[in-house]
Amino acid sequence: MSKHKILETPRLRLRPLEFSDFDRIVEFMGQQSVTDFLLFFTHPIIPEQVREWLKNVIEAKPEQCAYWAIIEKSQDKLIGILSLTMDSFHHKTEMGYWLDRDYWGMGYMPEAAWRSIEYVFEDLKLHRVDLTHMVANIRSQHVAQKLGFQLEGCWREGHFKNGTYKDVKIYGMLEVDYLRARKQRSQMPDSPA
Ligand SMILES: CC(C)(COP(=O)(O)OP(=O)(O)OC[C@H]1O[C@@H](n2cnc3c(N)ncnc32)[C@H](O)[C@@H]1OP(=O)(O)O)[C@@H](O)C(=O)NCCC(=O)NCCS
């Protein structure tokens, strides 16, 4: 598989993460609300852990994962990260995302995530996207619903975070769900997401 593409949306550019993003990532992931529902990062953020993680994702093969920096184009600023973890055996991928707290509630993540979903089905020709979130993460639930993911169930106490077990909602998007969502979007041409 060749390197993952740079993806464009009306307001955003998704480009592969770079080592020079380190300081900005540590800065925005220092906000507690950003890591509250993330699995592998806790508050306060540990810069050395971020450095190790960044090295691993930059050096990973395209068949393993895609990690994009989400750049807000008008300010040329990194405002978040979107990831796809590949499972080539099952022709599927798992999506992950997180955004600087200052940019929540403006539809940026649905916009970025939809572009990556187009990439999954149109370019990579995969069959399915997985998505999970802790039940209390209502914002992520809204993102999943807006994108057209189908709720498939719940892992009871499926994630361990901050010393307790959390229930986790599990979603999937098959190509048929993508085509349905794409059709609905084509009937709402003014939506930036
Ligand atoms: C989850 C996240 C990516 C959402 O991105 P976003 O760009 O802010 O998404 P949106 O702008 O569509 O806002 C999400 C929804 O939250 C809703 N929302 C806003 N304030 C809210 C609040 N106080 N409580 C609950 N929902 C709220 C918005 O109304 C919106 O839903 P709607 O448009 O259907 O009404 C972002 O909140 C984030 O980075 N959170 C921390 C990291 C994280 O949890 N990642 C996901 C792990 S599974």
Side-chain angles (χ1 to χ4, degrees):
M1 188 188 282
S2 52
K3 272 176 66 178
H4 292 293
K5 284 191 348 191
I6 293 175
L7 305 176
E8 299 274 348
T9 75
R11 297 180 294 172
L12 305 170
R13 175 174 304 111
L14 277 63
R15 58 125 177 98
L17 282 174
E18 301 166 355
F19 287 112
S20 58
D21 295 325
F22 173 75
D23 288 344
R24 174 68 188 125
I25 293 171
V26 169
E27 179 184 47
F28 90 85
M29 288 187 63
Q31 302 161 308
Q32 183 163 3
S33 49
V34 174
T35 52
D36 270 348
F37 295 112
L38 295 185
L39 272 186
F40 300 114
F41 295 101
T42 47
H43 186 80
I45 199 83
I46 302 165
E48 275 321 301
Q49 186 193 1
V50 176
R51 193 186 299 281
E52 185 67 21
W53 164 83
L54 186 60
K55 181 175 182 299
N56 287 340
V57 301
I58 288 173
E59 291 177 354
K61 295 193 174 100
E63 333 26 92
Q64 295 174 301
C65 59
Y67 274 81
W68 286 281
I70 302 173
I71 309 295
E72 201 282 319
K73 289 198 275 197
S74 71
Q75 300 173 81
D76 195 25
K77 184 171 183 181
L78 190 161
I79 63 166
I81 294 171
L82 190 139
S83 68
L84 296 175
T85 303
M86 308 299 173
D87 179 343
S88 56
F89 190 81
H90 297 295
H91 307 153
K92 67 175 187 171
T93 186
E94 179 173 1
M95 179 179 288
Y97 44 65
W98 56 104
L99 203 62
D100 184 322
R101 178 69 186 90
D102 294 345
Y103 294 86
W104 290 10
M106 295 181 234
Y108 282 120
M109 197 51 82
E111 184 172 330
W114 178 255
R115 184 66 192 92
S116 76
I117 289 167
E118 289 178 324
Y119 178 65
V120 164
F121 290 109
E122 308 283 353
D123 293 74
L124 301 181
K125 310 281 186 204
L126 296 180
H127 183 64
R128 180 186 157 91
V129 184
D130 294 343
L131 179 69
T132 65
H133 67 76
M134 292 177 211
V135 167
N137 193 353
I138 302 299
R139 289 184 174 87
S140 194
Q141 177 179 315
H142 282 232
V143 173
Q145 289 168 342
K146 268 194 252 183
L147 290 167
F149 277 89
Q150 302 299 303
L151 181 63
E152 297 177 333
C154 178
W155 291 326
R156 294 170 306 133
E157 303 191 357
H159 287 165
F160 186 67
K161 174 80 181 178
N162 293 339
T164 56
Y165 293 100
K166 313 288 185 190
D167 291 345
V168 179
K169 286 192 178 177
I170 50 178
Y171 298 83
M173 183 181 291
L174 301 180
E175 190 180 13
V176 65
D177 304 318
Y178 161 68
L179 293 173
R180 191 186 313 112
R182 191 179 71 174
K183 188 171 176 197
Q184 283 167 359
R185 280 164 179 268
S186 71
Q187 289 155 3
M188 298 184 297
D190 293 339
S191 164

